[in-house]
Amino acid sequence: MHDSYSERMSGGETRAAAGLALVFAFRMLGMFMVLPVLATYGMELRGSTPALIGLAIGAYGLTQALLQIPFGMLSDRIGRRPVIYAGLLIFAAGSLLAANADSIWGVIAGRVLQGAGAISAAVMALLSDLTREQHRTKAMAMIGMSIGLSFAVAMVVGPLLTRAFGLSGLFMATAAMALLGILIVAGVVPRAAGPLQHRESKVASQALLPTLQHVDLLRLDFGILALHAILMASFIALPLALVEQGGLPKEEHWWVYLTALLIGFFGMLPFIIYGEKQRRMKRVLLGAVAVLLACELYFWQFGSSLRALVLGTVVFFTAFNLLEASLPSLVSKVAPAGGKGTAMGVYSTSQFLGAALGGILGGWLYQHYSLSGVFLGCAAMALLWLVFAVTMREPPYVTSLRLPLSVAALHEVGLAERLQAVPGVADAVVVREEAAIYIKVDTQQLDRMSLERLIEAPPATC
């Protein structure tokens, strides 16, 4: 291996990855902290109904889904930082609007404005600008971990903050975190030389239509939509069930979520390792969706005591964490060479649409059919997902590579076709405007050095 592939991340790359992971974490904390408390504390707001509480929970997903891809494309034109600063200011403004609201409509307006600060794509693009090829996956993983961690922290800190300072204090804290994110981007994250042309970290307009026509990717997009719809709807029902059927005061809910998330996190690890090592991710995915379905039916039929609700919540979060961690990995495997950025953009949009749908539908179901209606509605969504997922193929166990091309290699006719004939290469596409080739390889079959020699070698002459 070349030295460049074994060296560690530079100080600048580490600062960029850590700083942007923190920005992501603060923003997601602000999104997630209301989940465990809005259903219980929100009913004290003027004009509240269960349906409007559901709308408040899911509202951010609507604007997030609409604006995420356009904001990412805008960052290619005017720069990453202006878009990130503007997005965080919009998010802070939404938080302040919700904090000062005395009616449920004010909170809904604040949540809509929070979602309009859709900076995910711009942050990922800036991370790509600031990291080298061989460290990009590691940097992206740091952001992925920060999102997972922020969700876990939000489930515990949300109830504790709200108990101490009320809903208003919770939203003020999210505004402060957004402003802190601006200071981190300005003071910690290094400056980039300029936007990097890189298809794996942004939405490419020419790849959008093929992505929307890719059946395997659409199946995964529906999966993340269903998962977040079930999560949001469940968070309308579960806090209320803990109070009404479990007899647990709303101020004490934090320990249930802490227990469920800790056990759920460690509980999912053996299944992820099994799926990847044995190349059985389809089996793991189907099993987790089936468990999710079983959990909703269990809540509906047996969730009448605190012990039963806590047990169900632990199993629910084990399945949820497993699916949340494995779905993005499956998108990366299934997306065509050079299409991962676009595939992830559509996937994220589907995730936010699911959050909006789940909040709205969950609130409506609770208002008209009580807790049982919500749990049965979530079970129906899980069943529909299971039907879609059963027909998926076992994903290819491949890794995406982007290799720079010399001028000679760039003009070589049939290079992508020749590379696809190499054992272990599943897909290859030359992108001339980037002077690069995107390749998907099975690392168990491929010798990376041989691949690089083939690309660097001058074209054979007859």
Side-chain angles (χ1 to χ4, degrees):
M1 280 263 172
H2 290 296
D3 286 342
S4 64
Y5 283 95
S6 58
E7 66 182 321
R8 293 179 179 178
M9 291 172 80
S10 69
E13 286 174 320
T14 305
R15 280 208 336 270
L20 291 173
L22 263 180
V23 170
F24 237 111
F26 285 154
R27 191 169 146 281
M28 298 317 272
L29 259 176
M31 292 290 192
F32 291 141
M33 278 199 299
V34 301
L35 284 187
V37 297
L38 208 49
T40 47
Y41 286 85
M43 289 309 290
E44 297 163 11
L45 291 162
R46 185 164 47 83
S48 277
T49 66
L52 291 178
I53 291 284
L55 179 58
I57 284 177
Y60 83 93
L62 288 172
T63 39
Q64 191 86 355
L66 284 171
L67 295 174
Q68 196 208 185
I69 290 177
F71 270 30
M73 290 178 165
L74 183 64
S75 79
D76 292 335
R77 293 191 174 187
I78 68 169
R80 316 294 187 209
R81 283 172 189 267
V83 170
I84 293 170
Y85 291 146
L88 288 169
L89 284 172
I90 291 168
F91 183 85
S95 301
L96 290 173
L97 180 60
N100 290 296
D102 60 354
S103 75
I104 188 65
W105 287 107
V107 171
I108 290 168
R111 291 285 282 169
V112 167
L113 197 54
Q114 277 187 329
I119 58 166
S120 306
V123 170
M124 290 306 231
L126 180 58
L127 186 67
S128 288
D129 297 343
L130 293 168
T131 49
R132 285 166 295 166
E133 193 70 43
Q134 62 269 32
H135 299 306
R136 197 159 291 132
T137 303
K138 203 186 306 176
M140 297 281 185
M142 285 173 72
I143 284 194
M145 285 166 61
S146 80
I147 295 171
L149 193 61
S150 67
F151 179 76
V153 171
M155 292 299 100
V156 179
V157 172
L160 291 173
L161 259 180
T162 312
R163 181 171 73 174
F165 305 107
L167 270 180
S168 177
L170 179 74
F171 283 117
M172 291 295 282
T174 66
M177 284 189 286
L179 297 175
L180 189 55
I182 291 174
L183 294 177
I184 291 169
V185 175
V188 177
V189 178
R191 302 237 157 225
L196 187 72
Q197 293 301 310
H198 195 297
R199 280 193 178 198
E200 296 288 61
S201 59
K202 66 173 191 173
V203 173
S205 51
Q206 61 269 44
L208 204 48
L209 190 60
T211 301
L212 293 171
Q213 294 171 334
H214 196 298
V215 176
D216 287 336
L217 285 175
L218 288 176
R219 213 178 260 115
L220 295 170
D221 293 335
F222 179 78
I224 194 65
L225 183 146
L227 182 63
H228 277 255
I230 290 167
L231 176 73
M232 294 297 159
S234 295
F235 264 107
I236 288 165
L238 274 177
L240 293 168
L242 286 170
V243 172
E244 293 171 15
Q245 297 177 358
L248 187 69
K250 60 189 177 185
E251 294 81 11
E252 302 295 322
H253 288 193
W254 64 271
W255 68 260
V256 177
Y257 303 127
L258 179 62
T259 306
L261 281 159
L262 280 175
I263 297 174
F265 174 76
F266 290 107
M268 74 159 182
L269 292 176
F271 297 102
I272 292 270
I273 293 165
Y274 164 79
E276 289 289 349
K277 290 259 188 198
Q278 302 298 320
R279 302 196 165 193
R280 291 281 186 274
M281 278 311 295
K282 178 183 175 180
R283 182 182 295 178
V284 169
L285 181 88
L286 291 177
V289 178
V291 169
L292 214 55
L293 168 60
C295 279
E296 297 296 343
L297 293 173
Y298 170 85
F299 285 134
W300 167 59
Q301 201 61 41
F302 303 107
S304 53
S305 70
L306 183 59
R307 182 179 293 180
L309 286 166
V310 171
L311 178 63
T313 306
V314 167
V315 178
F316 175 88
F317 273 113
T318 304
F320 173 81
N321 286 339
L322 177 55
L323 290 161
E324 184 80 356
S326 57
L327 281 168
S329 163
L330 290 170
V331 171
S332 296
K333 288 176 167 66
V334 169
K340 186 169 80 174
T342 307
M344 287 306 296
V346 174
Y347 171 86
S348 295
T349 299
S350 305
Q351 177 178 328
F352 292 123
L353 279 174
L357 175 71
I360 294 164
L361 200 60
W364 184 85
L365 284 169
Y366 178 70
Q367 185 161 323
H368 291 88
Y369 303 103
S370 74
L371 290 173
S372 295
V374 182
F375 293 134
L376 284 173
C378 289
M381 179 67 87
L383 180 62
L384 187 60
W385 181 8
L386 196 58
V387 170
F388 272 96
V390 162
T391 55
M392 76 180 272
R393 294 174 292 183
E394 190 68 49
Y397 289 83
V398 290
T399 302
S400 299
L401 302 175
R402 177 186 183 272
L403 300 172
L405 290 178
S406 64
V407 176
L410 195 59
H411 292 96
E412 188 178 336
V413 178
L415 176 62
E417 289 76 12
R418 283 201 302 119
L419 284 170
Q420 280 176 277
V422 174
V425 176
D427 193 11
V429 61
V430 174
V431 181
R432 296 189 184 281
E433 58 266 31
E434 293 182 32
I437 187 164
Y438 290 89
I439 309 171
K440 304 207 77 165
V441 299
D442 184 333
T443 49
Q444 288 188 8
Q445 298 178 23
L446 183 89
D447 177 3
R448 170 74 181 255
M449 296 300 294
S450 303
L451 180 71
E452 288 179 4
R453 278 198 296 272
L454 185 62
I455 289 170
E456 290 162 9
T461 52
C462 295

